[in-house]
């Protein structure tokens, strides 16, 4: 089966995605980028992982009861993603907008695999996803992400800390164990899908400078032939 994720798309718009573990600073960078693009007169559409209504209720219920196996969890997220792609990502891309996605299929490739799902299986599951024009990965060490998250809201979220895996009853220890596996998978994913790696330990403005440079270049690239005609 052809894999869309590795084939450039032919829509008029541009798809920019940010990835990284929680607390890596990706939402901060995407927010600043959105403001900058809008100020420059671009039409921008923002979308987040897990934001569609379709399976939100089912995921919520399953989470509450801790009743989902990693594979079922993965399938639910893929269904949610398909809905988001079809209704929130492709239409603005067709309309020539710049779509900014806070997390994309690569999140599944790291989280689901860290939970024990087969690497190839999850990649095939998301084979329908549109290849983003800019793929940014914000790399930070676990301790830095923990420090930022704890400073912000004191309590780690159950799934973010991988508490469902039962590796540790201590949320911070569980976070370290789970997110270390996620980081390892991100290292594979960044190589495999040629992502631009940004050092998330640098200042917000230094990172934003790099982000804007990469995005400007992608915007300046000519539209594919198919999209112009
Ligand atoms: P993510 O979306 O990856 O979870 P956020 O953008 O929400 O991360 O940032 C997490 C926290 O870290 C926020 O409180 C944010 O203000 C702070 N933060 C983001 N980038 C930096 C940075 N470069 N240096 C210091 N703190 C940062």
């Amino acid at each position: 089966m052809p894999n869309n994720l590795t084939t450039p798309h032919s829509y008029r718009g541009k798809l920019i995605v940010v990835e990284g573990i929680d607390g890596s600073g990706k939402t901060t960078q995407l927010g600043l980028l959105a403001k900058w693009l809008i100020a420059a007169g671009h039409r921008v559409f923002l979308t987040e992982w897990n934001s569609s209504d379709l399976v939100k209720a089912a995921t919520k219920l399953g989470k509450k009861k801790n009743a989902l196996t990693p594979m079922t969890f993965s399938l639910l997220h893929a269904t949610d993603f398909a809905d988001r792609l079809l209704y929130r990502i492709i239409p603005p891309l067709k309309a020539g907008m710049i779509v900014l996605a806070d997390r994309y299929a690569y999140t599944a490739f790291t989280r689901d695999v860290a939970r024990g799902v087969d690497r190839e299986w999850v990649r095939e599951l998301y084979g329908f996803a549109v290849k983003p024009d800019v793929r940014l990965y914000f790399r930070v060490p676990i301790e830095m992400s923990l420090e930022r998250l704890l400073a912000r809201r004191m309590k780690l979220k159950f799934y973010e800390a991988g508490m469902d895996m039962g590796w540790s009853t201590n949320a911070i220890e569980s976070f370290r164990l789970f997110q270390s596996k996620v980081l390892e998978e991100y290292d594979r994913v960044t190589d495999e899908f040629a992502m631009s790696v940004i050092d998330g330990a640098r200042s917000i403005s230094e990172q934003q400078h790099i982000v804007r440079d990469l995005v400007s270049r992608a915007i300046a690239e000519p539209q594919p032939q198919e999209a112009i005609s």
Side-chain angles (χ1 to χ4, degrees):
M1 201 173 90
N3 194 319
N4 287 353
L5 252 187
T6 51
T7 316
H9 68 79
S10 55
Y11 301 116
R12 283 171 51 226
K14 300 284 180 191
L15 176 59
I16 293 150
V17 310
V18 294
E19 287 279 356
I21 60 173
D22 293 301
S24 60
K26 57 191 176 311
T27 308
T28 304
Q29 292 300 326
L30 204 64
L32 290 170
L33 177 68
K35 282 188 186 143
W36 180 69
L37 287 170
I38 291 166
H42 293 286
R43 290 181 305 143
V44 171
F45 187 81
L46 264 162
T47 166
E48 284 172 28
W49 183 255
N50 232 0
S51 55
S52 83
D53 295 331
L54 188 70
V55 290
K56 225 179 206 171
T59 314
K60 216 172 161 183
L61 192 72
K63 273 185 181 177
K64 216 176 255 171
K65 295 187 173 168
N66 202 11
L68 301 179
T69 67
M71 235 167 132
T72 316
F73 205 23
S74 186
L75 282 167
L76 265 174
H77 274 131
T79 313
D80 198 40
F81 178 85
D83 182 73
R84 178 183 171 214
L85 187 76
L86 210 60
Y87 295 106
R88 295 168 193 233
I89 296 180
I90 292 178
L93 277 182
K94 277 188 179 165
M97 294 177 80
I98 299 179
V99 179
L100 305 180
D102 195 336
R103 294 189 173 277
Y104 199 66
Y106 313 107
T107 281
F109 300 170
T110 59
R111 282 186 182 169
D112 296 355
V113 173
R115 288 193 159 88
V117 172
D118 182 75
R119 241 177 234 121
E120 288 317 308
W121 182 84
V122 71
R123 280 159 175 70
E124 274 188 33
L125 188 62
Y126 282 84
F128 61 89
V130 173
K131 182 182 179 186
D133 300 276
V134 180
R135 303 169 292 282
L136 304 170
Y137 170 54
F138 296 88
R139 184 188 274 149
V140 286
I142 303 283
E143 293 308 318
M144 181 172 287
S145 120
L146 254 177
E147 208 174 283
R148 287 181 186 170
L149 293 176
L150 293 176
R152 192 173 51 173
R153 61 174 133 83
M154 302 303 289
K155 207 161 176 266
L156 297 170
K157 289 187 214 153
F158 185 81
Y159 272 82
E160 176 181 73
M163 297 289 284
D164 56 305
M165 301 308 286
W167 291 335
S168 172
T169 49
N170 178 291
I172 294 182
E173 195 40 40
S174 181
F175 184 95
R176 280 197 186 101
L177 293 168
F178 178 66
Q179 295 293 345
S180 301
K181 287 188 190 289
V182 172
L183 269 187
E184 253 177 59
E185 291 306 319
Y186 264 126
D187 280 341
R188 281 176 194 271
V189 164
T190 48
D191 283 349
E192 202 177 325
F193 296 94
M195 301 185 81
S196 302
V197 182
I198 295 174
D199 179 1
R202 295 174 79 169
S203 76
I204 292 177
S205 58
E206 277 177 321
Q207 292 184 58
Q208 185 60 199
H209 188 77
I210 302 168
V211 168
R212 288 179 187 180
D213 185 51
L214 289 166
V215 170
S216 305
R217 274 191 262 163
I219 291 173
E221 268 170 32
Q223 305 286 10
Q225 224 34 51
E226 233 175 285
I228 295 169
S229 58

